[in-house]
């Protein structure tokens, strides 16, 4: 530690401060979006210790209380504290957003690589993807959930499937342009086997745009999840998710608008954080597009 | 050009085929017996058998698919299980509100978003540009239904300027129609405005860097003419494209907006059908929505070749 301090003339703390400053100056959107998300993740993980009460048990005496000192966000028609339910709801949103992003990128990557590199598969796979893209994603998700029964898993799958075609198209487009590059042709000429070419030469090109795409999938997945809950086909009602809380608030909207407003605001802020982070990542990872967008 | 249009039209057939196959399989392969799911928990075995018969579920899956495609080819979408009415008739009854809402949204969004995008591009890098872009990201992030409720709360419940929910046909009472359609239009437009603004800004900025823009400015033409006549005209292709792509957003948004504002359109029809598992309506409407999407994008592709003669296939 002292050796480093002597060499750089700076202590650890001040170097970290400098790093933070330069990051904030160069990529403000990424830092802002990232910090908001870290706060949200902390809320999800530490939910029980954030002055929350029981988010599930009914408490009829306190029904439909407006926001105040005792109940910061008010209570619902069963007397449950909206603040506690909203904080706990962060968990569902983040878990589903993250899983949908990871799953759609994983499947999209495999299908996209196959379509981009194997000509026979290309025609078939892309027709299937075109067809899937033509079905409105929200309808597809609602239909899939209501047909297979609502659970955390089916909701995640139903949200993931409509997102896959966009990832496939992205990966395929990159593969098609990269495979004509001299270094890939050189690798082919040198007799490198196909799996190795895909992994060593093609895959790395897809990673930066995929990271950006993953953030957009995550944002849209969180919105769809809330919507499913809102329409009454989302995760089971005993799990407090933002969509479920808002669905219960629909009937009492004129009496108790806070039941919809607080989880709605939490959802909008989280999605905003993910979108801002995504834009920041896009600007950082691909400066060419950054100038344009 | 005619050859391209013909080829492009033929290409829609496999896409619609995949949609039909997917929708069909989705319903057939979902876990559980569709007939008993539709009949509900208290149905007798004979009820279930009747529904099974009505849906033709006793035949093998390829035969069912063949029969279904055959009736589709005759323009028949089947008969709703719960209302016993032909799906085509139900759609015809409900299509007007959805069409009206989509049109008002399209017009409103383009009228707001294109000027915003052009201004942002013109003032690129300034605080005006940054404000517009921040609003655009926010527009992407706010859930349609939450926005709908905020607007209802503010303008219908607090200020009492507009009716809370419902719909009136413009052919019955145009003033009432305007009052009813305003909030849903604004709600549905926001995400679309965000999308079109971003693309307009991006494509105008790109065009503004071209040599002929410098030439136009060097000739001493006013900034307004440079922007409108030279830049916007050439930025039109990506803008038209995104309006086409946005139809998918619009269709998804219509479903939600109609539920929030209690508008008796196709979106409500399909959500109700899904909740009641009325398979013929679900199948029929998903097909219709997908067809609209495919057709709009077909038209957009054709407009491409007309707007931008450089595009050749």
């Amino acid at each position: 530690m002292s050796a480093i301090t002597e060499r750089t003339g700076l202590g650890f703390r001040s170097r970290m401060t400098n790093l933070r400053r330069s990051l904030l100056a160069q990529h403000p959107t990424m830092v802002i979006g990232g910090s908001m998300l870290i706060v949200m993740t902390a809320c999800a993980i530490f939910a029980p210790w954030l002055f929350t009460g029981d988010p599930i048990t009914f408490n009829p005496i306190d029904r439909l209380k407006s926001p105040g000192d005792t109940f910061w966000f008010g209570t619902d028609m069963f007397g449950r504290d909206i603040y506690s339910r909203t904080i706990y709801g962060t968990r569902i949103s983040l878990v589903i957003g993250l899983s949908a992003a990871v799953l759609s990128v994983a499947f999209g990557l495999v299908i996209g690589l196959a379509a981009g590199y194997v000509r026979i598969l290309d025609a078939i796979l892309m027709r299937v993807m075109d067809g899937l893209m033509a079905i409105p994603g929200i309808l597809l998700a609602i239909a899939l959930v209501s047909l297979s029964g609502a659970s955390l898993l089916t909701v995640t799958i139903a949200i993931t499937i409509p997102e896959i075609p966009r990832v496939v198209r992205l990966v395929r487009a990159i593969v098609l342009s990269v495979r004509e590059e001299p270094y890939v042709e050189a690798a082919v000429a040198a007799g490198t086997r196909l799996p190795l070419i895909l992994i060593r030469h093609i895959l790395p090109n897809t990673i930066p745009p995929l990271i950006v795409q993953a953030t957009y999938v995550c944002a849209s997945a969180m919105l769809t999840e809330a919507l499913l809950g809102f329409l009454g086909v989302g995760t089971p009602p005993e799990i407090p998710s933002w969509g479920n809380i808002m669905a219960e608030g629909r009937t009492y909207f004129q009496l108790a608008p806070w039941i919809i407003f607080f989880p709605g605001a939490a959802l909008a802020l989280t999605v905003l954080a993910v979108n801002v982070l995504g834009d920041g990542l896009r600007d950082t990872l691909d400066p060419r597009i950054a100038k344009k967008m | 050009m005619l050859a391209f249009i013909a080829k492009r039209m033929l290409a829609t057939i496999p896409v619609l085929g995949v949609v039909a196959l997917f929708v069909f399989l989705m319903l057939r392969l979902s876990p559980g017996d569709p007939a008993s799911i539709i009949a509900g928990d208290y149905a007798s075995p004979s009820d279930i058998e009747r529904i099974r018969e009505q849906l033709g579920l006793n035949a093998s899956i390829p035969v069912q698919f063949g029969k279904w495609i055959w009736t589709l080819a005759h323009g028949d979408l089947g008969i709703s299980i719960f209302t016993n009415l032909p799906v085509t008739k139900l759609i015809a009854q409900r299509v007007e509100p959805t069409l009206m809402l989509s049109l008002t949204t399209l017009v409103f969004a383009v009228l707001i978003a294109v000027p915003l995008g052009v201004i942002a591009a013109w003032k690129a890098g300034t605080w005006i540009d940054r404000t517009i872009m921040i609003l655009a990201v926010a527009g992407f992030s706010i859930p349609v239904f939450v926005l709908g409720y905020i607007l209802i709360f503010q303008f219908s419940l607090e200020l009492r300027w507009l009716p809370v929910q419902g719909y009136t046909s413009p052919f019955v009472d145009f003033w009432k129609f305007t009052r009813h359609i305003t909030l849903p239009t604004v709600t549905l437009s926001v995400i679309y405005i965000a999308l079109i603004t971003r693309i307009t800004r991006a494509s105008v900025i790109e065009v503004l860097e071209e040599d002929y823009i410098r030439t136009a400015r060097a000739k001493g033409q006013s900034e307004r003419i440079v922007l409108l006549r030279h830049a916007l005209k050439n930025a039109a292709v990506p803008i038209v494209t995104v309006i086409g792509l946005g139809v998918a957003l619009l269709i998804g948004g219509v479903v939600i907006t109609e539920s929030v504002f209690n508008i008796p359109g196709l979106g409500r029809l399909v959500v109700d059908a899904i909740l009641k598992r009325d398979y013929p309506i679900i199948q029929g409407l998903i097909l219709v929505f997908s067809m609209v999407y495919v057709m709009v994008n077909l038209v957009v592709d054709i407009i491409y070749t007309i707007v931008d003669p450089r595009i050749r296939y």
Side-chain angles (χ1 to χ4, degrees), chain A residues 124 126-140 142-149 161 166 169 216 223 226-228 230-233 242-243 246 249-251 253-254 257 260-261 263-265 267-269 271-273 275-276 279 282 290-293, chain B residues 11 14-16 18-19 22-23 26-27 30-31 37 133-134 137-138 140-146 149-150 152-153 157 164 191 198-199 201-203 205-206 209 245 248-249 251-253 255-256 259-260 267 270-271 274-275 277 279 282 285-286 289-291 293-294:
Chain A
I124 305 168
M126 290 324 285
R127 288 300 80 72
V128 174
M129 291 302 139
D130 285 348
L132 210 51
M133 257 180 111
I135 305 176
I138 290 170
L139 280 188
L140 187 56
I142 304 174
L144 284 173
V145 176
S146 83
L147 291 173
S148 49
I161 289 177
R166 254 169 282 273
R169 283 197 163 186
Y216 295 142
L223 284 175
L227 175 70
L228 290 176
F230 181 73
L231 290 174
V233 290
W242 292 337
M246 288 189 269
R250 279 176 83 175
T251 4
F253 180 68
Q254 303 209 10
I260 288 187
F261 287 165
L267 173 63
L269 274 181
V271 174
L272 182 67
N275 275 332
V276 167
D279 284 359
R282 185 196 56 208
K291 207 176 63 182
K292 282 198 267 167
M293 292 300 268
Chain B
V15 174
L16 289 176
V18 170
V19 173
F22 196 86
V23 172
M26 181 172 75
L27 296 177
S30 60
I37 292 174
M133 284 303 101
I134 290 171
V137 181
F140 270 124
S141 310
I142 187 154
V144 175
F145 53 101
V146 175
Y149 275 104
I150 291 175
I152 293 179
F153 182 74
L157 298 178
V164 177
I191 193 168
R198 280 170 81 133
I199 301 294
R201 176 181 177 273
S203 50
I205 284 184
E206 199 178 306
E209 284 167 1
L245 284 176
L249 273 180
I251 293 173
V255 175
I256 311 165
S259 297
V260 171
V270 72
V271 170
I274 289 173
L275 295 179
R277 294 166 197 270
Y279 285 31
I282 304 176
L285 270 176
I286 291 185
F289 279 135
S290 308
M291 210 143 106
Y293 173 81
V294 169

Side-chain angles (χ1 to χ4, degrees), chain B residues 17 36-37 51 60 64 102 108 123 126 137 150 153 159 167-168 177 197 203 228 261 276 282 297 299:
Chain B
S36 54
I37 292 174
I51 290 171
S60 69
Q64 285 182 40
S102 310
F108 183 70
K123 299 278 179 195
T126 65
V137 181
I150 291 175
F153 182 74
L159 296 170
Y167 175 79
T168 309
F177 163 77
T197 305
S203 50
L228 297 183
F261 288 95
K276 282 193 282 189
I282 304 176
N297 281 290
V299 172

Side-chain angles (χ1 to χ4, degrees), chain A residues 213-250:
Chain A
Q213 185 70 24
T215 61
Y216 295 142
V217 171
C218 177
S220 117
M222 291 193 296
L223 284 175
T224 314
E225 186 274 326
L227 175 70
L228 290 176
F230 181 73
L231 290 174
V233 290
T235 46
E238 61 270 19
I239 305 174
S241 81
W242 292 337
N244 289 346
I245 306 172
M246 288 189 269
E248 285 158 2
R250 279 176 83 175

